[in-house]
Amino acid sequence: AGAAAGAAAGAGATWLLTRPAPAPEPVASAELTTLDTREVLGEASVRDSARGVTLAVRTQALDAGDGYLEVWLINRDLARMVSVGVLPAGTSQQDFPIARRLLDEGYVVVDISRELFDDRPQHSGDSLVRGELPL
């Protein structure tokens, strides 16, 4: 009986460790548009899963110029922002893990900016696209 119980427990543990993770639940999405013409060039979405919250960014090809593209979350007050990460050169989609706390505190504006290799960590002010997540 003990061996059977051990085998059952082992099988249950194996199932728990190997079962597929539930699909991330979509929380919100926003079109990413240019600031001047409002042309839609991509989409940002937030997904929540047991593994955490992810910001997914999908765009048409954006020109980084002589620098790189950085993804930001900006607070609703448009005065505070945090860098989420870099969109790798030649990439039009990337997932970024983020803290749920950022969304809860109002960091719901997704911004992709052109940044220079200038040792300045703040936003360059050269936003290519932006969209607000309806949270």
Side-chain angles (χ1 to χ4, degrees), residues 2 11 21 25 27 31 35-36 50 58-59 63 73 83 91 94 103-105 108 112 120 127-128 133:
E25 179 181 322
V27 175
E31 290 181 336
L35 276 65
D36 53 357
R58 312 283 181 260
T59 67
D63 180 16
L73 281 177
S83 172
T91 303
Q94 184 72 31
L103 301 172
D104 294 341
E105 292 177 4
V108 295
I112 300 177
R120 295 182 182 155
S127 294
L128 300 177
L133 299 164

Side-chain angles (χ1 to χ4, degrees), residues 20-27 46-55 95-98 100 103:
E25 179 181 322
V27 175
V46 173
R47 297 184 307 251
D48 199 355
S49 73
R51 294 190 173 130
V53 178
T54 302
L55 173 66
D95 292 348
F96 300 94
I98 61 171
R100 175 69 193 188
L103 301 172

